[in-house]
Amino acid sequence: MKILVENSTWNNIGDGFYQSTLYALFTKLFPQEEIYMGEGPFQRAFRPRPKWQLENGFKLMDYQQADIHVFSGPMLRAILPTYSEKIKEIKKRGGNYLLVSVSSAHITEEERVATGKFLEKYPPMILATRDEETYTNFKEFQINVYNGICTAFLVNKMLPVLGFSGHSRFFISSFYNELEPVYKLQSGEVEIENIKVERKATFLGLSHSISRHLNFLRPQQDTLLSHKIVRVHQDLSTHFYHVKFSHPNSFMSFNPLSYLSLYKSADFTISDRVHSCAVALSFGKPAMLFTNSPRAGIFDRLGYKIDRNSRIIYPIDNGIINREVANLSKAIEASVNCIA
């Protein structure tokens, strides 16, 4: 049996965390089967705006076929515009598909109902969600819905990540919806509880889309006492290096494992990116999350507590994650084995 696991629709490297882990999970669950990485929708990955750009893109996904396709991510809102034709093609030729570690973040009620009806007509073998809101949104439909978890929390269990010890200790700063903060100590040593984060949404009253280009004019911090501040940029675009490398210790890579090496080796992470904090926690490191995005529901699902004042999240007992991984694995195996 051939299984094709989507691993390409990376709007940023955080998508690579959960998709690469999902591929590793399937290779572990089905060692006797042919497991491949598959291409996802061209328009989801690169978001071309003019119609002619979309038409000019070569859509490799249309040509890839397997017995089972696995799709993932915050893509339920994109089912109808970007996945529906592929799903119809899979079903028409007698194939099947799974939706694992998926979210319906930002979906409207109209989109929710239309998507649910489509999934009832072309049902996945399983729809394993990554947050409670998504599970609630789709459990009413006549499909196999499982209250799952985000596979980004499994990077430490599924991927070969090399930690390192540098010349000095460091923490990670990763922001994309606001400018680089200024870090100060409230008291004591450099620990996440003692960090004061002076945030800056814009510069000179300009919109963020413009002021981020002037970020290099703002205060530059290389260290906070003995700790380096490593600025992890998860946007893979090769444009605007004056933005990406505006501050010391800025990091970019085309290898998701290199990012994970940093998260594994840092003392803690401060970010407005959901998956930055998720992978930090998976390595047993605390994180400080600055976002109200519905995608942060992945933390609630596993019982992580986000302090309303400090925004700090602490790692949870590994037993909780081990149990959830075992349950998710059983759910996936049961759905696949029913046709094997």
Side-chain angles (χ1 to χ4, degrees), residues 264-278:
K264 182 175 184 176
S265 306
D267 281 359
F268 52 86
T269 291
I270 301 175
S271 180
D272 64 355
R273 285 190 177 275
V274 167
H275 284 114
S276 289
C277 293

Side-chain angles (χ1 to χ4, degrees), residues 206-213:
L206 301 169
S207 68
H208 177 70
S209 61
I210 296 176
S211 60
R212 69 191 188 104
H213 292 279

Side-chain angles (χ1 to χ4, degrees), residues 166-214:
H167 296 294
S168 64
R169 296 168 66 181
F170 69 96
F171 67 89
I172 287 174
S173 173
S174 182
F175 285 81
Y176 75 112
N177 277 328
E178 55 189 80
L179 302 180
E180 180 67 24
V182 173
Y183 294 104
K184 295 182 179 180
L185 271 181
Q186 299 185 90
S187 63
E189 300 296 322
V190 180
E191 298 176 347
I192 196 167
E193 297 84 358
N194 298 332
I195 299 291
K196 180 180 180 182
V197 183
E198 295 186 351
R199 301 163 67 191
K200 187 76 171 177
T202 62
F203 188 47
L204 301 178
L206 301 169
S207 68
H208 177 70
S209 61
I210 296 176
S211 60
R212 69 191 188 104
H213 292 279
L214 303 175

Side-chain angles (χ1 to χ4, degrees), residues 45 74 80 99 120 137 161 165 183 190 200 210 248 258 266 284 288 336:
L80 295 179
L99 303 176
E120 286 183 328
N137 279 342
V161 180
S165 298
Y183 294 104
V190 180
K200 187 76 171 177
I210 296 176
S258 297
M288 191 182 292
V336 171

Side-chain angles (χ1 to χ4, degrees), residues 47-214:
R47 301 175 182 175
R49 294 181 180 177
K51 184 178 179 181
W52 63 269
Q53 291 180 357
L54 179 60
E55 292 174 345
N56 281 347
F58 183 79
K59 301 170 184 64
L60 176 61
M61 184 178 75
D62 293 348
Y63 298 88
Q64 293 184 327
Q65 294 188 355
D67 300 295
I68 295 175
H69 293 251
V70 183
F71 304 119
S72 61
M75 47 77 73
L76 287 178
R77 191 181 181 190
I79 285 281
L80 295 179
T82 60
Y83 283 88
S84 58
E85 292 305 313
K86 182 62 180 179
I87 289 173
K88 291 177 183 178
E89 180 270 323
I90 291 170
K91 287 291 190 175
K92 183 177 181 180
R93 60 176 164 80
N96 274 289
Y97 73 101
L98 292 83
L99 303 176
V100 183
S101 188
V102 296
S103 168
S104 60
H106 305 292
I107 199 168
T108 66
E109 177 62 13
E110 181 180 2
E111 291 169 332
R112 183 190 72 85
V113 173
T115 301
K117 290 181 177 179
F118 174 84
L119 294 176
E120 286 183 328
K121 187 174 181 180
Y122 304 96
M125 303 174 74
I126 189 172
L127 189 163
T129 62
R130 59 165 58 172
D131 56 74
E132 292 279 356
E133 181 181 12
T134 301
Y135 176 73
T136 301
N137 279 342
F138 286 89
K139 67 179 181 180
E140 70 181 68
F141 298 102
Q142 299 304 305
I143 52 180
N144 180 20
V145 182
Y146 175 76
N147 192 10
I149 61 174
C150 180
T151 52
F153 287 116
L154 311 186
V155 291
N156 195 32
K157 296 179 179 296
M158 297 293 169
L159 299 178
V161 180
L162 178 66
F164 68 91
S165 298
H167 296 294
S168 64
R169 296 168 66 181
F170 69 96
F171 67 89
I172 287 174
S173 173
S174 182
F175 285 81
Y176 75 112
N177 277 328
E178 55 189 80
L179 302 180
E180 180 67 24
V182 173
Y183 294 104
K184 295 182 179 180
L185 271 181
Q186 299 185 90
S187 63
E189 300 296 322
V190 180
E191 298 176 347
I192 196 167
E193 297 84 358
N194 298 332
I195 299 291
K196 180 180 180 182
V197 183
E198 295 186 351
R199 301 163 67 191
K200 187 76 171 177
T202 62
F203 188 47
L204 301 178
L206 301 169
S207 68
H208 177 70
S209 61
I210 296 176
S211 60
R212 69 191 188 104
H213 292 279
L214 303 175

